[in-house]
Amino acid sequence: MRRLLLPLLLAAPTLLLASTPAHANPPSIELITMGPGAEAFELFGHAALCVTDDAHPTGVCYNYGTADFSDPAALGWGVLRGDASFWVEPASRKRTIRSYTRHDRDVYSQPLPLSPDQATALADALRRNALPEHRSYRYDHFFRNCATPLRDLLDEHTGGALRQRTADASSGASCRGHIRQGFAASPPLLLLQELALGRSIDRDATQWEAMFLPHHLRDAVAAHL
């Protein structure tokens, strides 16, 4: 069943963005998280930050998970070696949500209760990160993926509200443990990650580190913001 899930019963995140001088009204920002899909690069869901302001009255979403997916094998090998290039890609909110719901993936919206200054500063940072000279980065599944830049930006623009509440708290599993469930439906991928990924991901992961997974980021935003 295709649906847009609005978890309004979750604690609303308290993020505030400073409005830019060019806008008469401060922007509103929401965290969008998507449920898992069937393809290998969709198994762990996805996330984006969406801004609605005077320049984008219907919303623009900043997606940190864009890459060249034309050769999945080459991209997958690049991800394992830590040499895959990903970049930030803005797209309309409507188009972003439609691209996931048409494949029967859940979409969750969390409006972020930010101050005008916080919201403006965050919106400016997102626009800056999408510029050609800033948008590319080297992908790491655990430490630099589609969700971790969002986590870092939200933390930065809320005075450390996420990190200070999660950096010392156990997530109850290692990074490897967190991804085993996602790979469970694909034995070849499960075996590959067991063999290819180093032992550094076997230590207990903090709640902060577990936010490399979009659903953990969604839960932390609901709990702490």
Side-chain angles (χ1 to χ4, degrees), residues 14 20 24 41 53 79 112 114 116 123 148 170 210:
T14 44
T20 57
F41 284 99
D53 57 14
V79 167
L112 304 177
L114 304 174
T148 56
S170 171

Side-chain angles (χ1 to χ4, degrees), residues 52-161:
T52 302
D53 57 14
D54 293 343
H56 305 95
T58 60
V60 57
C61 295
Y62 293 87
N63 173 10
Y64 283 72
T66 308
D68 181 1
F69 292 98
S70 61
D71 188 346
L75 183 60
W77 179 238
V79 167
L80 286 174
R81 294 188 304 145
D83 194 36
S85 180
F86 278 62
W87 59 88
V88 185
E89 188 74 34
S92 74
R93 183 183 185 278
K94 181 178 181 180
R95 176 185 172 189
T96 298
I97 291 175
R98 181 180 296 167
S99 68
Y100 291 91
T101 56
R102 74 183 179 187
H103 291 108
D104 201 28
R105 294 175 65 179
D106 294 338
V107 179
Y108 300 81
S109 169
Q110 288 172 291
L112 304 177
L114 304 174
S115 71
D117 286 348
Q118 286 177 316
T120 300
L122 179 51
D124 288 345
L126 290 165
R127 283 191 291 270
R128 186 166 54 252
N129 287 352
L131 294 175
E133 61 268 32
H134 300 306
R135 68 177 190 163
S136 296
Y137 68 94
R138 291 297 174 188
Y139 183 95
D140 184 287
H141 185 63
F142 302 102
F143 305 110
R144 190 68 175 169
N145 65 5
C146 70
T148 56
L150 310 186
R151 175 201 65 186
D152 295 347
L153 284 167
L154 293 180
D155 187 63
E156 176 184 354
H157 293 283
T158 55

Side-chain angles (χ1 to χ4, degrees), residues 35-45 69 72 103 105 182-183 185-186 189:
E39 302 299 325
F41 284 99
E42 301 173 344
L43 293 175
F44 301 97
F69 292 98
H103 291 108
R105 294 175 65 179
F183 282 136
S186 177
L189 289 176

